[in-house]
Amino acid sequence: MHLAPRTELYESDSSFVLRTADDEHFALSLGCDEFDELAAALSSNTPPESDRPRAALSALIAAGHVSVDDSVEAISVEGSGRLASALTGLLTRTGSSLLPPGESTRSIAVSDDEAETLTPGGHISCFRDGNLSVIVPDGVQLTDVRARRAASSLHRRRIEDGYAPVPHGRRLSSPVHPMSVASAEFVAAQVMAEMFFPTTAPHRVTAIDLRTLRLSCHPVLPMPEPPR
């Protein structure tokens, strides 16, 4: 257990005081010995034996002023490429427990390319659709996302008469992959945020423009069952 960031318990002229992270101040009805017992409980992760320190600790935890240390969730990153490398490095630097695929409690499937290259079964998925990187949160079906995006982008894939490429004709294409090192780091941060702070709005995915790194949210309603 430990106090939440920017939270303090201290002795004032009149009483012991709680200063919250929002700079609000509240008096604590504790004597000196009771305050010392509460402080010892916070440093040792042992509940206080006395009634008032134990009640104060329960109230602080319930209000979010004290954080309880939970066991670290084991995560696996499935995929290869720049995004997988950036995400693995970011999770490692933040102290997350990384395990091989199949041995973790949560999995993240990522790819620098289309959804077809993803490893199936990830709780969170991230794939590239053109110049967009799409983060699919837990609870949204990847098949629904692919179907909806294919339907909405169908008109953009049509080529007017006279503009279709000639078979075996001259062609010059960019050798640069849309997922740059910088964009991979940015997308990895958004994927990690989705892991630890899940999207509250249901049926929404996050799209990141790999050229400008701008984020946008898009609704993805489940595809209806085909008529019988």
Side-chain angles (χ1 to χ4, degrees):
M1 292 182 290
H2 55 83
L3 289 173
R6 297 192 68 249
T7 303
E8 287 184 311
L9 302 176
Y10 64 86
E11 186 176 4
S12 71
D13 294 336
S14 59
S15 64
F16 290 101
V17 175
L18 160 69
R19 183 186 70 83
T20 72
D22 296 321
D23 292 320
E24 296 178 309
H25 297 77
F26 300 94
L28 297 175
S29 300
L30 297 174
C32 292
D33 292 342
E34 293 170 329
F35 181 86
D36 291 342
E37 188 176 348
L38 174 61
L42 287 171
S43 61
S44 64
N45 284 335
T46 303
E49 295 182 0
S50 303
D51 291 340
R52 291 210 295 181
R54 186 166 57 248
L57 179 59
S58 298
L60 291 171
I61 293 174
H65 303 310
V66 168
S67 301
V68 179
D69 298 323
D70 296 323
S71 58
V72 178
E73 186 176 36
I75 303 170
S76 65
V77 176
E78 304 188 29
S80 59
R82 289 175 174 171
L83 179 54
S85 177
L87 182 58
T88 300
L90 186 57
L91 289 169
T92 301
R93 291 192 296 273
T94 55
S96 299
S97 177
L98 293 177
L99 291 179
E103 300 180 16
S104 62
T105 55
R106 300 290 300 279
S107 63
I108 311 175
V110 297
S111 175
D112 295 349
D113 296 299
E114 288 76 14
E116 290 79 6
T117 62
L118 285 173
T119 301
H123 294 89
I124 296 175
S125 302
C126 183
F127 66 94
R128 184 178 59 83
D129 182 12
N131 287 316
L132 296 179
S133 190
V134 182
I135 301 174
V136 183
D138 197 6
V140 176
Q141 296 296 321
L142 183 61
T143 53
D144 292 334
V145 178
R146 292 173 57 187
R148 293 289 183 181
R149 294 199 66 80
S152 64
S153 61
L154 183 61
H155 68 284
R156 291 190 281 111
R157 297 175 181 172
R158 294 174 180 157
I159 301 178
E160 297 181 16
D161 293 341
Y163 288 93
V166 177
H168 309 295
R170 296 177 179 83
R171 181 187 292 262
L172 182 63
S173 300
S174 172
V176 181
H177 196 282
M179 182 70 74
S180 66
V181 175
S183 61
E185 292 286 346
F186 185 84
V187 174
Q190 307 309 315
V191 173
M192 192 182 75
E194 181 60 42
M195 169 63 74
F196 294 111
F197 305 98
T199 303
T200 55
H203 306 301
R204 286 186 179 272
V205 299
T206 300
I208 303 166
D209 191 316
L210 296 175
R211 297 164 297 185
T212 63
L213 299 185
R214 292 177 179 170
L215 283 74
S216 57
C217 292
H218 304 268
V220 180
L221 297 177
M223 293 294 291
E225 292 291 334
R228 297 182 179 178

